[in-house]
Amino acid sequence: FNCWLLAYLVLYVIKSELVRSFEPVALGSRRRNYLFLIFPCALLCNGVMMSNYPCVENLTKILERSPERADLYYLRAVIFERRGQIENALGDYAKASRLASGDANVWYGQARVLMVLKRTKEALACFSRAIDLKHTNADVFIDRGNAYDRLNMQAEAIKDFTAAAQSAAVGDNTNLATALLNRALVRFKQGCYTACLEDADRSIKIQPSRFARVLRAYALFKSGHSSSALQECRKFSDEKYAMNAGCLRALIYLEQGDALAALPEINTVLQEYPDWDHALYVRGKVHLVLGNIEAARHDIDRGLLQETAEGELGHIPEGLSVLAACYLAEGSLDKAQAICAQASRLASEREIEALSGHS
């Protein structure tokens, strides 16, 4: 009935507009008539679509009668995932994978939610299973590349991002640009700044993004082109990645020997993002150069505490290096050496963790 009523209203709108197009009318009257009819049509159309979309309650009732339906567990998992009910989604993807272990989509879905839960090694195994089952779309290679990158397995990440770029369908600019940008980011982490710039530039040409331009600015800075980097990051003063540009400007001023110019830049960033560990480390460096040792140690301690609480340890060696410099500036050589040894142990542990992913 809803479908017939919707069709009738749409036809009525078309007929009314055709007839009235030959009649002299007051300015704006046809627009009001059109809007009066189109809003009920839109609401009705939405109701029809929602009524045809399976709800969790209906799927649950069917599964109570037919618990062997892997396709329904998969469908309910997708709904849970889109709603943000990640634990429920994981449970249904796991049930679907037991019932239909040869379905690549089931393993790919399970891997996605495991990544959200930061169970990266388990996610990596599921991504690999999906790829082994011929799920070779660009998106699965991009996601597995992100998992490798999170585990600090950068060579494997680059291989997957390269595979994603090669398997992206013609016209699939989004996945191609994403694969190139993610590969650029990994190459930046490796210190391969020229290769990073090449990938970032290719990504920008295909699909411009602010993050790609910020990454390009950082790569220019790291490769010794501070003036070009400063010119690049000035473009982001009023945009989403202003915090990254602010940090970079502070680092550039610091490298140029102008710590007084760096301090207001990094203070502005921390006013908006007071718990950002990288920004705290940068301000710690600025305070250290200005001779404010206590302020530097305070920022570094806050950054280390924040990063440890979040479970993301990527910037900790940076923080520890500044902390060691603080102790050294105070003349505490033993403490500085102990901090350096701690940083070395952490680096070794990260390497071991990365290597363990190969087994």
Side-chain angles (χ1 to χ4, degrees), residues 7-276:
Y8 171 79
L9 287 173
V10 170
L11 289 173
Y12 180 81
V13 170
I14 295 171
K15 176 180 177 294
S16 299
E17 290 303 305
L18 287 174
V19 171
R20 290 177 182 273
S21 65
F22 295 100
E23 299 175 354
V25 292
L27 182 63
S29 62
R30 189 180 308 157
R31 179 182 296 273
R32 287 195 295 272
N33 182 55
Y34 178 80
L35 291 177
F36 174 75
L37 288 169
I38 200 65
F39 284 132
C41 287
L43 290 172
L44 182 57
C45 181
N46 180 65
V48 171
M49 289 188 295
M50 291 302 294
S51 65
N52 290 332
Y53 194 82
C55 65
V56 169
E57 291 75 14
N58 290 340
L59 290 173
T60 302
K61 290 177 181 178
I62 298 172
L63 283 167
E64 287 174 357
R65 298 192 300 269
S66 306
E68 75 289 347
R69 293 284 301 275
D71 57 330
L72 297 186
Y73 279 118
Y74 174 77
L75 181 56
R76 192 171 67 173
V78 171
I79 297 172
F80 280 138
E81 184 181 0
R82 291 178 179 174
R83 289 181 177 180
Q85 298 172 267
I86 303 302
E87 293 287 355
N88 290 339
L90 179 59
D92 275 358
Y93 279 131
K95 290 174 183 176
S97 67
R98 287 194 293 270
L99 292 168
S101 58
D103 189 333
N105 290 318
V106 167
W107 292 103
Y108 183 37
Q110 190 170 348
R112 288 196 308 269
V113 296
L114 285 167
M115 284 290 284
V116 175
L117 294 170
K118 295 187 177 181
R119 293 163 59 176
T120 311
K121 290 184 178 179
E122 296 172 70
L124 183 60
C126 291
F127 282 133
S128 298
R129 184 69 179 271
I131 290 171
D132 290 342
L133 292 169
K134 308 304 180 185
H135 195 316
T136 54
N137 292 340
D139 50 3
V140 70
F141 283 112
I142 289 171
D143 288 341
R144 191 176 71 170
N146 290 333
Y148 278 131
D149 184 32
R150 188 184 287 181
L151 293 172
N152 204 34
M153 300 170 67
Q154 294 168 343
E156 288 77 6
I158 286 178
K159 287 180 182 177
D160 269 1
F161 294 140
T162 301
Q166 292 171 346
S167 62
V170 176
D172 185 5
N173 289 340
T174 298
N175 274 330
L176 179 56
T178 301
L180 291 170
L181 180 55
N182 288 11
R183 190 171 68 182
L185 183 58
V186 175
R187 284 176 165 165
F188 179 86
K189 294 175 183 178
Q190 290 179 320
C192 303
Y193 303 120
T194 301
C196 170
L197 284 167
E198 291 174 357
D199 278 345
D201 286 341
R202 285 183 62 195
S203 176
I204 290 168
K205 287 179 181 177
I206 296 167
Q207 194 172 78
S209 81
R210 294 170 182 171
F211 178 73
R213 299 200 70 89
V214 171
L215 179 60
R216 186 177 187 279
Y218 267 89
L220 285 168
F221 168 64
K222 288 289 189 177
S223 57
H225 300 90
S226 297
S227 299
S228 298
L230 188 59
Q231 184 178 2
E232 186 78 28
C233 70
R234 279 175 180 157
K235 302 173 183 177
F236 302 96
S237 57
D238 298 321
E239 297 184 357
K240 178 181 177 182
Y241 291 99
M243 62 176 188
N244 302 83
C247 267
L248 181 54
R249 283 195 296 270
L251 288 169
I252 292 171
Y253 289 138
L254 198 59
E255 186 187 65
Q256 293 174 343
D258 194 352
L260 291 174
L263 187 58
E265 288 282 358
I266 198 63
N267 281 341
T268 300
V269 173
L270 283 166
Q271 284 174 0
E272 293 293 325
Y273 305 93
D275 296 323
W276 188 20

